[in-house]
Every structure is written in structure tokens, then in C-alpha cells.
């Protein structure tokens, strides 16, 4: 049970991202509850069905980009716990308090401030023009709409980083959460490879990689065996200029420089779509009862982002019925990547089986996901670029009798 006291001057809500909870606790104003008004309270009361790494944040406007979020870790009583230490690593892009607010950024985007292919060189916090990034990026070019002045790891800029300490040879479980609003991060730990064990809370077949691409709303758990020394844990803002950094320390010595760029960043970069489900969480094979297409579209010109050609206010609900196996075909027809998030369910990727609730769909590519309709209600389904969601890229997964 969580009581929320809204001390903000405006209404808010709390969404428990990734948790397959009861629908009326999902925290989406206008869909599952009335907004929590300024000065009001609301008590969330629910059971968490699955262990894993989650987070929570408002589902109201662009409040998420003000830093209103927290990490929710659900421990597994059956977890073998084959690690010595556990670190939570939260990634964020930051503009608030630097002369403009996230609401200002959204207003600028809506005025068409991003039109015309401005590309690189835009001012901090200003729109990037929709084609930021290079085609060598694993995001295939469309790397976000906003060039932020700061990128953070656990709330700190690289010049004043947090230090994560353990002993040489210890196995550390790192829970990476991307709480950013418009930035995917390429994450690497200098001198180490990462063994990814979980995506969006659910176990995957352990997969070793040099670097990991984390979209907004995605979470990955990785295990490392620490070397002896000080190492940069770097989160490069993919396709943008800048990075976040934390210092990993297992010995005395100078901390790495704020602009450290470990070689691992330029080696193998793993995407969530490449992971395979651990056997115990793979969806059991069965026929698909119902398929919905979600065509993702939009442009920077009028900053209108759509699913099946419509913004949320006009969106046709995706109707499903309890007990069905449902396939969602996420078809990106835009030049921007979209981390697509389904509330109340953890889907399985059709290609790999990996269980996730948020998946990056790259420009002009498609991802198919399957889910079992076992949690009745009205469930928001949207892009986790918070500006895209505000500009319309949202619909409803709607259980019908
Ligand atoms: Cu999007």
C-alpha cells in the first residue's frame, strides 16, 4: 500500500511501470483513475505478481522529465542470489532548472521548433530536428528529439559522479533503469563485459556483451565480476552529444575522467530484441487468437505522433477478450525509434521469446510481440518517449466482455 500526497501545484498520478497489477491501480488518469488533484491524496493498494526491476512515475503530462520517479525492486524469494553486491543504476536526461522546463520543451516542439532537419548543433535542451544521430547507431538514425544539457547516472553529472564500490573479484548485480524521457543510452563498464540476466524484470538466457542499448522505460539486470581498480560506468546518450557516468571502484586510485569513453562502447552493442527468454518464463506455445497492427507514424513538422494514423484522443481501442493469445505487430513507419510500452502485461517477443514490457522499435522496422490476455481492464499502450506520448502516440488495450 502506497499513499501518495500530492504537494504539487497541479494534478498527478503514479504508474507502476512493468507491474502486472490490478487495472484500477495502474495510475493512468482518465483511463484507470481520476487525477490526484493538487493537495489531494490517493492510496495505491495492489499485489505484485512477479519479481524483478521496475520503476514508478507519474502518468501526467511531462512530469516524468522533472525527475518524478523512483525504482521499484521486487525481490524473488527463490532467487539464488549468486552475487555479492547489488547496484541500482538510473539513467536520465535532464533539462529542468537550466533555463527551461520540460513543458517549455514540449511547447517548442509543438510549435514546430524541430522542423527542417536542424540536426546537430542545436542548443542545450532544444529540439534536435528529428534526425539526430548517425546511421552507424544501433538506433539506425532517429535518436530522439531533444538535445539535453545534462545526462545523469543516479542523479549526478559526470563531473560529480556517484561512486559504486565493491571488492575485486566480487560478483555484482547491476540493475539498470532508463528513466529518461527522450534518450536511449549505450551502457558499458570499462574493462569488463556484462552478463545480462534479466530484461524488464524477467530472466533471459544469460548473454555476454560489451555494451547494452537501453531505451526509455527499459530495465536490464547484468552481472559483472569486478576487476581490481577504478572503472568508468558510462551511459552514452545514443545519437546525441553527451554522456552520463558513474565511478566503479574496487581499489584506491584516481577516478576516471568525466569524458572517459571505454573501448567497450564501440564493440558489441546488445539490444533487448536480441535476448532470449529463460525457459521458465517463455510463453507456452499456442495459436494466436487475435492480431492487432500498431502502425507507428509521425513527423517533427507539426510534432504529431500517431498509432494507426490517430493521436490518443481519437484512437480506436485495441479490443481483446480475456483468455486470448494476442499478437501486437508494432510497425514503425517513422524515422524515429519508439520504445513501445504495454501496461499490465509482460509480452513475449515473437522472434526470441524474451519477456518484456517495453521494446525498442527502430525506424522503418517491425517488432511482433505476443501476450496472454489474463489481466482484464483498460491498459495504456504507448511510446515511452514522453514527448511522443504527450503528442498522441498512445492507445488502449481494451478488454471486452
Ligand atoms: Cu515514440
Amino acid at each position: 500500500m502506497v499513499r501518495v500526497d500530492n504537494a504539487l501545484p497541479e494534478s498527478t498520478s503514479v504508474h507502476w511501470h512493468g507491474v502486472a497489477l490490478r487495472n484500477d491501480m495502474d495510475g493512468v488518469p482518465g483511463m484507470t483513475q481520476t487525477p490526484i488533484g493538487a493537495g489531494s491524496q490517493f492510496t495505491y493498494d495492489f499485489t505484485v505478481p512477479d519479481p524483478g526491476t521496475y520503476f514508478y512515475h507519474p502518468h501526467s503530462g511531462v512530469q516524468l522529465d522533472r525527475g518524478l520517479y523512483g525504482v521499484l525492486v521486487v525481490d524473488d524469494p527463490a532467487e539464488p542470489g549468486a552475487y555479492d553486491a547489488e547496484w541500482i543504476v538510473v539513467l536520465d536526461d535532464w533539462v529542468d532548472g537550466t533555463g527551461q522546463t520540460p513543458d517549455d520543451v514540449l511547447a517548442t516542439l509543438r510549435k514546430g521548433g524541430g522542423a527542417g532537419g536542424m540536426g546537430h548543433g542545436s542548443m542545450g535542451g532544444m529540439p534536435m530536428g528529428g534526425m539526430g544521430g548517425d546511421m552507424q547507431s544501433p538506433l539506425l538514425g532517429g535518436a530522439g528529439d531533444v538535445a539535453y544539457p545534462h545526462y545523469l547516472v543516479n542523479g549526478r553529472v559526470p563531473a560529480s559522479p556517484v561512486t559504486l564500490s565493491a571488492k575485486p573479484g566480487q560478483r555484482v548485480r547491476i540493475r539498470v533503469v532508463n528513466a529518461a524521457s527522450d534518450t536511449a543510452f549505450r551502457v558499458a563498464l570499462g574493462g569488463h563485459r556484462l552478463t545480462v540476466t534479466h530484461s524488464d524484470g524477467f530472466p533471459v538466457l544469460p548473454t555476454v556483451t560489451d555494451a547494452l542499448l537501453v531505451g526509455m522505460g527499459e530495465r536490464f539486470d547484468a552481472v559483472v565480476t569486478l576487476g581490481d581498480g577504478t572503472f568508468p560506468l558510462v551511459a552514452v546518450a545514443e545519437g546525441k552529444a553527451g554522456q552520463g557516468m558513474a565511478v566503479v571502484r574496487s581499489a584506491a586510485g584516481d577516478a576516471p575522467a568525466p569524458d572517459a569513453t571505454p573501448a567497450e562502447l564501440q564493440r558489441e552493442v546488445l539490444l533487448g530484441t536480441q535476448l532470449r527468454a529463460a525457459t521458465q518464463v517463455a510463453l507456452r506455445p499456442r495459436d494466436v487468437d487475435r492480431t492487432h497492427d500498431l502502425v507507428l507514424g509521425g513527423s517533427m513538422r507539426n510534432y504529431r505522433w500517431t498509432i494507426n494514423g490517430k493521436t490518443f484522443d481519437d484512437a480506436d481501442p485495441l479490443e481483446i477478450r480475456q483468455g486470448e493469445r494476442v499478437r501486437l505487430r508494432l510497425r514503425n513507419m517513422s524515422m524515429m525509434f519508439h520504445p513501445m510500452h504495454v501496461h499490465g502485461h509482460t509480452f513475449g517477443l515473437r522472434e526470441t521469446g524474451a519477456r518484456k514490457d517495453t521494446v525498442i522499435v527502430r525506424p522503418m522496422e517491425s517488432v511482433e510481440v505476443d501476450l496472454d490476455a489474463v489481466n482484464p481492464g483498460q491498459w495504456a499502450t504507448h511510446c515511452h518517449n514522453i514527448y511522443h506520448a504527450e503528442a498522441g502516440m498512445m492507445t488502449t488495450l481494451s478488454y471486452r466482455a
Side-chain angles (χ1 to χ4, degrees), residues 10 14 34 45 65 79 94 103 132 166 177 194 210 251 273 295 364:
E10 57 189 82
V14 180
T34 55
D45 187 355
D65 210 10
E79 166 68 45
W94 195 264
D103 293 285
V177 178
L194 308 168
D210 296 300
T273 47
V295 179
M364 304 307 289

Side-chain angles (χ1 to χ4, degrees), residues 116-148:
M118 287 160 55
H120 292 291
S122 49
M123 300 295 287
M126 293 305 287
M128 294 180 68
M131 279 296 288
D134 59 86
M135 295 306 286
Q136 301 308 310
S137 164
L139 288 178
L140 305 179
D145 301 340
V146 183
Y148 284 79

Side-chain angles (χ1 to χ4, degrees), residues 14-64:
V14 180
H15 167 58
W16 310 89
H17 181 111
V19 179
L21 42 52
R22 48 185 280 186
N23 190 234
D24 59 354
M25 294 291 123
D26 193 44
V28 180
M31 192 179 295
T32 67
Q33 68 170 99
T34 55
I36 309 171
S40 300
Q41 292 84 37
F42 186 86
T43 298
Y44 291 92
D45 187 355
F46 57 88
T47 302
V48 288
D50 304 299
T53 305
Y54 304 95
F55 76 129
Y56 56 93
H57 59 78
H59 222 278
S60 301
V62 291
Q63 291 178 5
L64 170 62

Side-chain angles (χ1 to χ4, degrees), residues 294 307 318 341-343 379-383 393-397:
L294 288 81
I307 297 175
L318 307 169
H341 175 49
V342 177
H343 287 212
W379 298 103
T381 298
H382 64 93
C383 178
M393 197 169 238
M394 180 157 107
T395 187
T396 311
L397 194 65

Side-chain angles (χ1 to χ4, degrees), residues 305 336-340 383-385 388-389 393:
W305 295 98
M336 180 65 62
F337 83 102
H338 304 287
M340 296 301 295
C383 178
H384 221 276
N385 181 314
H388 292 186
M393 197 169 238

Side-chain angles (χ1 to χ4, degrees), residues 63-82:
Q63 291 178 5
L64 170 62
D65 210 10
R66 303 256 189 167
L68 288 172
Y69 56 75
V71 173
L72 180 68
V73 173
V74 181
D75 279 323
D76 185 350
E79 166 68 45

